[in-house]
Structure formats: C-alpha cells, structure tokens
Amino acid sequence: PDTFWFYADRVGDVVDLGNGIPAEYALHQNYPNPFNPSTVMQFDLPRAATVTLSVYNILGQEVVRLMDKESMNAGYKKVIFDASGIPSGAYLYRVFAEDNDGKTFVSVKRMILVK
C-alpha cells in the first residue's frame, strides 16, 4: 500500500557510442544533473552482458525500470531518460550487468530532477 510506481513517458533507445571496447565496466554520472525533463545515462560493457537499468526514489523504491535483462554487446552505451512522468526529487539509478561467465557488475549513481 505504501509502494508507488511511476512509468516513464519516453525512454530513448540504447545507443552504442562506438569507439571500441572499454577495458572495464563503468557507470558514469548522468548529464545534465540536475535535469528537467530528460537526462543522459552512460555505461561501459567490456564484454557482452545481460543488463538491467533502474531508477529508484530516495526511499529505495523502484520507480522506473528502463531496461530489464536486455542482452547487449560490449561497448560504450548511452540511454536518454525522459522523466516527464515522475515528480521532482532526488533519485538513484542502478545498472546491473551479468556476462556469460557469471561475472556481475553493479553500480549506483545519484541524480536530481527539478521541474
């Protein structure tokens, strides 16, 4: 009863930025930050992996799942997130990636939505 779900109006496609293959996993700080209403999230995959990308409110409740166990090739990735459908506030975004060998990568960053 105290759980809130918000759905993003639009989530941009995942864009492969090219420029080769990264040496290690990484989640970068979104930009711009603070943002209104959209922001760019970037992450690096050194090998093919299954990826989940989610946004959480400050209470730790998932409010948007941008990607759900999507198979992706290695490379530098970019996602444009349109947060028009969620209220202003502080949010966390989390990437979880698992490669075919079972190696996992998890990272969390903070972002601020100001309307």
Side-chain angles (χ1 to χ4, degrees), residues 38-60:
S38 63
T39 189
V40 176
M41 301 172 187
Q42 288 184 238
F43 57 94
D44 304 342
L45 300 175
R47 54 187 82 57
T50 302
V51 177
T52 299
L53 179 63
S54 299
V55 176
Y56 297 86
N57 64 20
I58 205 68
L59 299 175

Side-chain angles (χ1 to χ4, degrees), residues 6 11 21-22 26-27 36 38 45 47 56-57 63 65 67-68 79 94-96 101 105 109 112-115:
F6 298 98
V11 176
I21 305 296
L27 176 63
N36 177 23
S38 63
L45 300 175
R47 54 187 82 57
Y56 297 86
N57 64 20
V63 294
R65 185 167 294 177
M67 298 184 335
D68 189 15
V79 176
R94 174 183 180 260
V95 67
F96 174 86
D101 296 332
F105 169 75
K109 299 282 185 189
I112 306 289
L113 171 60
V114 179
K115 290 187 176 183

Side-chain angles (χ1 to χ4, degrees), residues 5-12 30-41 54-56 63-66 79-93 111-115:
W5 279 87
F6 298 98
Y7 296 95
D9 291 335
R10 291 175 298 268
V11 176
N30 68 300
Y31 63 90
N33 190 28
F35 68 98
N36 177 23
S38 63
T39 189
V40 176
M41 301 172 187
S54 299
V55 176
Y56 297 86
V63 294
V64 178
R65 185 167 294 177
L66 301 172
V79 176
I80 298 173
F81 170 48
D82 183 340
S84 303
I86 63 176
S88 296
Y91 292 91
L92 303 170
Y93 60 103
M111 63 183 172
I112 306 289
L113 171 60
V114 179
K115 290 187 176 183

